[in-house]
Amino acid sequence: MRFQSPQLGALGVTFTALRALQFLALVTVVGLTANFINEFASSDRQVPDVLVGTITVTSISTLYVAISYILYYDGMLPLLVAGGLDLGLLIAFIVVAVTIGKPLSALQCELLAQPVSPAAAFVAAVTGRSYESAATRYNAYLGLIVEDQPHCYEIKAAWGLGISLAVLFAFSSIVCLSLWHRIRRAGAPAPPKDVESY
């Protein structure tokens, strides 16, 4: 059995490249966000809604990207539906990028302190777990991103990847719709011949 991707020309190659880039960016954002969530959980603080929303959207998107490429490879992907879903993920990543980036746009990471020792960070962060308001959890998020340079650079990387994912999903929705149109046009029956013109 020989595996061969669908032969759909430059649009097919573009779709494959976009899916590969989306997968790499999504896995990176999941890792960065999971690292932040781990820091909140290990210090017994409530995880901010910003991070929960980000990891939820990126995890679901990673699953969608993997499944949609497998279906594309087998020629079973409904391209019109995939274009609509990519458009929906474009909107989701615009929301993620805006939500994460709101406090980051003016933040200069190089002006922050170098990382502190884990023991000092633990002593400073020990608080009892409680059902805090969303504002308090968001303030904890702000406190974490301005804690030191590595945290700042990590969240800025997640923000930048969120913006790039919005662009990638915009392009992939256009490519999906173009592929759908191309396949539909190629599969259309030829116009009936007029016998009288011969």
Side-chain angles (χ1 to χ4, degrees), residues 4-164:
Q4 185 176 0
S5 64
Q7 300 299 312
L8 296 173
L11 283 174
V13 172
T14 303
F15 182 80
T16 300
L18 286 171
R19 283 297 191 244
L21 290 171
Q22 288 166 347
F23 186 78
L24 289 173
L26 286 165
V27 168
T28 305
V29 172
V30 166
L32 290 171
T33 309
N35 182 39
F36 276 110
I37 290 174
N38 180 44
E39 289 191 29
F40 275 95
S42 64
S43 63
D44 287 330
R45 292 183 286 179
Q46 292 242 207
V47 179
D49 297 335
V50 174
L51 297 177
V52 172
T54 301
I55 201 162
T56 302
V57 169
T58 53
S59 298
I60 291 170
S61 300
T62 305
L63 184 64
Y64 163 73
V65 164
I67 290 172
S68 68
Y69 187 74
I70 291 168
L71 291 174
Y72 167 77
Y73 192 86
D74 286 343
M76 297 171 27
L77 180 66
L79 291 165
L80 185 60
V81 173
L85 289 173
D86 282 7
L87 195 60
L89 288 175
L90 161 67
I91 294 167
F93 277 103
I94 288 173
V95 171
V96 165
V98 168
T99 307
I100 288 179
K102 224 183 300 185
L104 296 176
S105 59
L107 184 62
Q108 296 178 355
C109 297
E110 62 275 1
L111 299 178
L112 297 175
Q114 294 296 324
V116 295
S117 69
F122 178 75
V123 170
V126 172
T127 59
R129 182 176 281 254
S130 64
Y131 294 100
E132 302 165 331
S133 69
T136 306
R137 289 193 305 260
Y138 190 72
N139 287 337
Y141 164 70
L142 294 176
L144 181 68
I145 63 175
V146 298
E147 186 175 314
D148 55 22
Q149 287 182 2
H151 288 100
C152 180
Y153 286 128
E154 282 180 32
I155 198 67
K156 279 201 170 192
W159 178 39
L161 287 170
I163 294 169
S164 67

Side-chain angles (χ1 to χ4, degrees), residues 160-178:
L161 287 170
I163 294 169
S164 67
L165 281 164
V167 172
L168 288 172
F169 278 112
F171 281 126
S172 67
S173 68
I174 293 169
V175 169
C176 282
L177 296 175
S178 300

